[in-house]
Amino acid sequence: DQQVKQNSPSLSVQEGRISILNCDYTNSMFDYFLWYKKYPAEGPTFLISISSIKDKNEDGRFTVFLNKSAKHLSLHIVPSQPGDSAVYFCAASGSNDYKLSFGAGTTVTVRA
Amino acid sequence: NAGVTQTPKFQVLKTGQSMTLQCAQDMNHNSMYWYRQDPGMGLRLIYYSASEGTTDKGEVPNGYNVSRLNKREFSLRLESAAPSQTSVYFCASSEDRRNSNQPQHFGDGTRLSIL
């Protein structure tokens, strides 16, 4: 049973607008959350992370929000750029856990 | 700065053949991982090595074996390939997760087709 779910397989957004990607998790032991970006024929690259002691983390155009009570996190990309077109994976792990649980991914397409 | 290097990048096998996927990292990381990615399922952990000399099963270990050859290298072996093992395989490495929240770094993958 998937413990991390990304319910939107795809998202299309106009260049310059905001992209919002959502992720839900079921395991209350998760305390570290990450977003990865993946281009075709390449491996996932780390984008941004957040610890459960925070509810927001920002890095340039990328902001991740965590709502622990709802077991929900989101990634905001503002403004969206053509180079942001990729697959985005949400991932999570628990304390002292080496393993990451991944969502199925959301394909983002930024239209010019 | 190579990061995580996987070989080969592509491979086609016949059912029943054996194959070893190689992975090496140059970041002096303690932990290494093997994942497979299938359409609509994200990445699933096959095996991991928390540190040199240790290996543990992940979510989908059946049909695979691993060897942590040294701190740099972690190989994945398919002893008797099956069509269900057709997938893209990713190797990753990270610092010891218990000490700090460090992300995993991934290679570019091996695309494996089993006929």
Side-chain angles (χ1 to χ4, degrees):
Chain A
D1 187 30
Q2 254 189 322
Q3 299 183 75
V4 178
K5 296 180 181 179
Q6 294 175 255
N7 292 320
S8 298
S10 62
L11 172 68
S12 181
V13 63
Q14 193 165 11
E15 183 178 1
R17 306 296 289 267
I18 184 172
S19 295
I20 299 176
L21 290 77
N22 294 303
C23 177
D24 296 296
Y25 62 96
T26 57
N27 189 337
S28 58
M29 300 302 291
F30 287 155
D31 65 353
Y32 180 51
F33 305 89
L34 309 91
W35 286 93
Y36 281 84
K37 177 179 180 179
K38 185 184 180 304
Y39 293 119
E42 294 184 8
T45 55
F46 170 70
L47 191 58
I48 192 169
S49 65
I50 187 167
S51 167
S52 61
I53 62 173
K54 296 185 176 181
D55 55 17
K56 176 183 174 181
N57 189 26
E58 193 171 353
D59 184 1
R61 297 187 297 113
F62 303 92
T63 303
V64 57
F65 296 91
L66 176 63
N67 182 334
K68 291 185 289 292
S69 61
K71 294 190 176 68
H72 176 84
L73 64 156
S74 62
L75 175 68
H76 293 207
I77 307 173
V78 183
S80 298
Q81 298 175 352
D84 296 331
S85 295
V87 179
Y88 290 79
F89 290 100
C90 173
S93 70
S95 296
N96 298 319
D97 193 347
Y98 293 91
K99 297 173 283 188
L100 282 178
S101 295
F102 281 84
T106 297
T107 300
V108 172
T109 302
V110 180
R111 310 185 309 272
Chain B
N1 187 7
V4 179
T5 303
Q6 292 184 235
T7 55
K9 294 189 184 303
F10 303 94
Q11 186 69 50
V12 178
L13 294 177
K14 294 181 179 178
T15 298
Q17 286 185 317
S18 62
M19 170 77 187
T20 298
L21 280 59
Q22 307 287 353
C23 175
Q25 53 92 8
D26 62 3
M27 295 173 283
N28 201 35
H29 285 165
N30 288 317
S31 303
M32 298 186 73
Y33 314 81
W34 276 104
Y35 292 88
R36 59 178 289 174
Q37 185 194 6
D38 301 295
M41 299 191 73
L43 282 78
R44 293 182 293 168
L45 184 66
I46 305 171
Y47 270 92
Y48 68 101
S49 171
S51 61
E52 187 178 355
T54 68
T55 60
D56 286 283
K57 295 179 180 180
E59 184 183 353
V60 288
N62 291 344
Y64 305 96
N65 286 302
V66 290
S67 295
R68 183 73 182 267
L69 304 172
N70 48 56
K71 190 171 185 179
R72 290 187 64 248
E73 298 173 289
F74 188 38
S75 63
L76 178 72
R77 183 162 178 84
L78 288 71
E79 290 290 352
S80 178
S84 61
Q85 294 177 305
T86 293
S87 188
V88 182
Y89 292 85
F90 289 101
C91 177
S93 69
S94 72
E95 290 292 344
D96 187 340
R97 158 78 172 119
R98 294 172 298 176
N99 295 330
S100 61
N101 284 331
Q102 293 295 324
Q104 293 179 18
H105 299 263
F106 286 81
D108 283 340
T110 294
R111 282 153 184 78
L112 186 59
S113 293
I114 300 162
L115 307 177

